Amino acid sequence: MAGGVGSAPRSRAWKLYSPYGKYTSILSVFLLSLLCAFAYFLGRRQDARGAVDGYPAVVSSAACSPGNGTGPLRPPSSPVGSLDFLAHHAADAASAPPMLEYAACDAKYSEYTPCEDRERSLKYPRERLVYRERHCPGKEELLKCLVPAPRGYRRPFPWPASREVAWFANVPHRDLAVEKAVQNWIRVDSDKFRFPGGGTMFPRGADAYIDEISELIPLRDGSIRTAVDTGCGVASWGAYLLSRNVLAMSFAPRDTHEAQVQFALERGVPAMIGVMASQRLPYPARAFDMAHCSRCLIPWHLHGGQFLIETHWRGWQRTQDDLRAEQDVIEDVARKLCWKKVKERGDIAIWRKPTNHVHCGITRKLFKSPPFCSASASPDAAWYTKMETCITSLPEVADLRETAGGELKNWPERLTAVPPRINSGSISEVTAETFLEDSELWRRRLGFYKTLVNQLGKPGGYRNLLDMNAHLGGFAAALAGDPVWVMNVVPPAGVDTLGVVYERGLIGTYHDWCEAMSTYPRSYDLLHAGSVFTLYRTRCDMEDVLLEMDRILRPDGAVIFRDDVDVLVKIKSHTDRMRWESQIMDPEGGPLQREKILLAVKQYWTAADPHEKEIGQPSA
């Protein structure tokens, strides 16, 4: 049998008894034979039932690939051995009540986003768009079922074809194609959506629009790597920036522009549900090299300029179509922040944030700037953190020409260079040496993962990846040369390393896995869960986290769990009831360690017609 835990060379214990056979009593031989026979029949019984005393078998006998025969799992090269820790759990499992299969949710939940639920949002104030922020269900409201894909759901087109086309059945909404027809965002073509690349202010296409921007600021020299697109539409700006090696985080609220972010993710473009309202965006200070707004309808000048204060950018684009009075107010706020307008041409204006705050003294007095935020408040705190009308202080510098926080290298050098936050010693227990060791560790791990998961890093394979406990971003960094992008999640429960992730030229977000993520169902092709359940073992229920993982994972998608073997056994007891095929195996370091890998694949199935059974054939 291929793939498993506890693989070991064939036992040679029988040799120990050979020299002494002639001295062994008949009774001893009889007792030994009886013991061997008992062990043999016990093993046969376990194989036949797939469990020991009712406990689910750890090594699945089913093939770990979806029904279409092109699944992501490849049998590992090492042979399977039985797991000796099963007996350790058998007593508890025997007394536990039998666990039932998880049922499918009603088809009406096929696009359920728990923390952005419209009915719940109406209970909150409309002032400052608070009702469009995250408002998560209480524990008693959580769904204990599997969110179905819509009828007719098909595997998305592979990248880069997906940038231009998507299946209508996967995101069955026509309204945006009608409402934005003149602006060339999206159009319906039979059973497909086409994305011409247009936007509100660039109906001729994002590519041409980005070329205009690149005439004002450099977009190809690696100095600009990370960007944020506020009010992103279907994320065409971010989609076409990828060809310039610029990685954009696109966000938009779940509002009247139905399914904007869902379209972006279906295209294989990084995006999240989000809104500029009363809370900080879930990103650290000094995260982005560039920020963009093209008629994003954000009232930048209101609330003392809080929305401009919140964006940590170098360049900002604002159209000239807006009322001149409003534009003047916005420019006044920008000056109070010590920003400098460096270029303006037609509809495009470029503003630059200062490299430090030393030379802003005169400007701050002249324009009556907002105060600096309290020195005791963390500038990176952004998980349910209220915005304030104060300027986040930049790190102190010794020289007027010095860049606050440390100067970043151009891409791609910054991916492997020691990040400034680590060089400065601001990340506890992480040094330049441990950073380099971590990078090498993940290079080896990714090499091993690719022997297990066929579609990982393969052209035309998986595209949208999520690392649930990213730490320093090593998983994403090791994949930087592959046709994928990775959303790096740093849980607030652990060490705050998200700033390091951004300094490497990668993107990510803060997120607490005791709550649902701000994304649509079926957002990701592959989830990586390294020590997530050890981190959350006393914080929330394993079942709830796994059901959320199922919600955001696409049919035929894969999960790589890395954790203590006892934790993985418990996880598998749930995934075996979730229409996932899974298998525990040794990691790249071999069998002599407690950390193991659980590989899982979500089976293909869709919502059923009310008069039919659920559809479970493989996608086209």
Side-chain angles (χ1 to χ4, degrees):
M1 190 188 302
V5 189
S7 303
R10 180 177 297 175
S11 173
R12 301 191 180 187
W14 64 273
K15 289 188 177 181
L16 298 177
Y17 294 91
S18 299
Y20 306 99
K22 58 183 178 181
Y23 303 111
T24 304
S25 69
I26 295 175
L27 180 60
S28 299
V29 171
F30 174 78
L31 291 175
L32 181 61
S33 301
L34 186 63
L35 181 62
C36 290
F38 175 78
Y40 171 79
F41 285 111
L42 181 63
R44 288 295 300 270
R45 179 171 174 263
Q46 176 181 341
D47 286 344
R49 294 178 55 193
V52 176
D53 291 336
Y55 202 86
V58 175
V59 180
S60 172
S61 60
C64 286
S65 61
N68 60 2
T70 59
L73 297 191
R74 180 180 295 159
S77 56
S78 59
V80 173
S82 61
L83 293 177
D84 58 5
F85 55 84
L86 274 178
H88 174 71
H89 303 277
D92 293 337
S95 60
M99 295 188 288
L100 302 176
E101 297 287 325
Y102 287 98
C105 304
D106 190 277
K108 68 181 181 181
Y109 291 106
S110 67
E111 294 183 357
Y112 183 52
T113 53
C115 297
E116 281 81 14
D117 180 67
R118 288 181 176 176
E119 292 184 11
R120 185 180 298 104
S121 72
L122 297 177
K123 302 175 184 178
Y124 295 88
R126 290 182 172 263
E127 181 186 2
R128 291 194 60 167
L129 300 180
V130 168
Y131 75 107
R132 284 184 177 160
E133 292 183 319
R134 287 176 56 85
H135 303 292
C136 297
K139 190 170 180 60
E140 69 284 352
E141 300 176 80
L142 295 177
L143 294 180
K144 301 291 186 177
C145 53
L146 305 176
V147 173
R151 282 176 56 81
Y153 179 89
R154 303 172 72 173
R155 181 178 294 174
F157 287 91
W159 181 266
S162 62
R163 188 180 70 173
E164 323 290 341
V165 64
W167 295 112
F168 179 85
N170 291 10
V171 193
H173 297 287
R174 294 179 182 273
D175 293 350
L176 202 59
V178 175
E179 183 179 347
K180 299 294 182 180
V182 177
Q183 296 165 15
N184 223 16
W185 282 23
I186 181 175
R187 67 172 185 264
V188 179
D189 180 8
S190 184
D191 62 345
K192 302 179 186 66
F193 285 110
R194 302 282 179 183
F195 301 95
T200 303
M201 295 307 297
F202 44 91
R204 293 188 299 110
D207 229 13
Y209 172 70
I210 292 170
D211 283 341
E212 290 183 51
I213 296 176
S214 65
E215 293 175 2
L216 304 178
I217 54 175
L219 290 180
R220 292 188 181 273
D221 66 354
S223 60
I224 294 176
R225 165 60 181 174
T226 57
V228 60
D229 190 11
T230 57
C232 63
V234 295
S236 288
W237 189 73
Y240 283 87
L241 273 175
L242 289 168
S243 63
R244 280 98 168 159
N245 273 328
V246 178
L247 189 59
M249 173 71 79
S250 300
F251 73 87
R254 187 174 185 184
D255 60 8
T256 54
H257 295 336
E258 187 71 49
Q260 300 172 84
V261 167
Q262 193 175 14
F263 279 120
L265 291 162
E266 196 69 16
R267 299 175 72 182
V269 179
M272 289 181 61
I273 300 173
V275 63
M276 294 280 275
S278 68
Q279 306 276 355
R280 281 185 173 182
L281 297 175
Y283 317 121
R286 311 190 320 274
F288 298 102
D289 300 317
M290 177 171 62
H292 174 259
C293 163
S294 177
R295 289 301 299 270
C296 54
L297 304 180
I298 295 174
W300 298 106
H301 60 294
L302 298 182
H303 315 300
Q306 279 188 359
F307 297 148
L308 284 182
I309 291 171
E310 170 63 5
T311 50
H312 309 288
W313 51 36
R314 287 185 188 172
W316 168 60
Q317 185 273 343
R318 178 77 187 189
T319 67
Q320 295 293 317
D321 289 1
D322 298 316
L323 297 174
R324 173 49 61 180
E326 181 184 352
Q327 184 73 11
D328 289 346
V329 173
I330 292 172
E331 295 198 4
D332 179 61
V333 173
R335 292 188 190 97
K336 288 179 179 179
L337 299 179
C338 202
W339 292 6
K340 181 180 179 181
K341 184 188 285 188
V342 293
K343 295 283 180 67
E344 184 171 10
R345 181 187 299 174
D347 291 338
I348 301 174
I350 306 291
W351 291 75
R352 176 159 288 165
K353 180 178 175 178
T355 55
N356 59 62
H357 282 150
V358 173
H359 58 278
C360 290
I362 297 177
T363 302
R364 288 177 53 75
K365 292 179 182 178
L366 182 64
F367 292 103
K368 298 181 179 179
S369 299
F372 286 113
C373 299
S374 169
S376 61
S378 169
D380 290 341
W383 184 246
Y384 289 116
T385 303
K386 289 286 185 183
M387 286 188 197
E388 298 181 60
T389 309
C390 60
I391 300 174
T392 302
S393 296
L394 293 171
E396 294 185 5
V397 295
D399 185 86
L400 182 67
R401 293 166 294 181
E402 187 180 344
T403 299
E407 190 168 353
L408 295 173
K409 294 186 180 298
N410 287 356
W411 180 264
E413 287 79 14
R414 75 167 70 172
L415 179 69
T416 53
V418 179
R421 276 174 164 88
I422 292 178
N423 271 330
S424 67
S426 61
I427 308 296
S428 62
E429 300 180 7
V430 181
T431 65
E433 183 179 4
T434 57
F435 169 79
L436 295 174
E437 290 173 353
D438 184 78
S439 297
E440 176 59 24
L441 172 66
W442 279 105
R443 187 190 65 79
R444 294 197 306 271
R445 284 180 173 178
L446 254 296
F448 182 69
Y449 286 172
K450 288 180 179 180
T451 68
L452 306 176
V453 184
N454 289 341
Q455 298 193 43
L456 184 57
K458 172 184 172 184
Y462 290 157
R463 171 65 183 169
N464 301 359
L465 277 57
L466 184 145
D467 192 353
M468 297 175 66
N469 187 17
H471 189 44
L472 303 177
F475 174 77
L479 283 163
D482 294 335
V484 302
W485 63 271
V486 180
M487 181 70 76
N488 292 278
V489 172
V490 172
V495 178
D496 185 359
T497 53
L498 191 56
V500 169
V501 170
Y502 275 95
E503 288 181 341
R504 300 187 74 174
L506 306 169
I507 59 170
T509 182
Y510 295 111
H511 181 69
D512 185 345
W513 289 109
C514 291
E515 298 181 1
M517 194 175 182
S518 290
T519 193
Y520 284 86
R522 303 170 298 282
S523 292
Y524 292 96
D525 301 305
L526 183 142
L527 310 179
H528 181 262
S531 301
V532 171
F533 291 88
T534 291
L535 179 65
Y536 279 93
R537 64 183 177 273
T538 61
R539 301 175 188 272
C540 47
D541 291 344
M542 176 181 289
E543 174 185 63
D544 296 332
V545 180
L546 288 168
L547 288 172
E548 173 62 6
M549 292 171 69
D550 182 82
R551 185 186 74 87
I552 66 177
L553 184 64
R554 288 177 173 166
D556 289 345
V559 184
I560 302 174
F561 298 90
R562 289 187 78 100
D563 222 312
D564 183 88
V565 67
D566 287 345
V567 175
L568 294 185
V569 170
K570 293 177 183 177
I571 291 172
K572 195 173 190 303
S573 71
H574 290 282
T575 60
D576 284 347
R577 302 180 291 123
M578 290 171 56
R579 309 188 193 198
W580 291 14
E581 294 177 344
S582 60
Q583 186 175 18
I584 295 181
M585 57 190 64
D586 293 322
E588 64 286 339
L592 301 179
Q593 49 189 311
R594 289 195 59 82
E595 183 181 71
K596 304 293 180 186
I597 291 173
L598 172 62
L599 274 180
V601 176
K602 180 177 177 178
Q603 298 175 27
Y604 174 88
W605 62 279
T606 72
D609 184 280
H611 305 293
E612 298 175 1
K613 293 182 178 180
E614 291 157 1
I615 300 173
Q617 70 269 22
S619 56

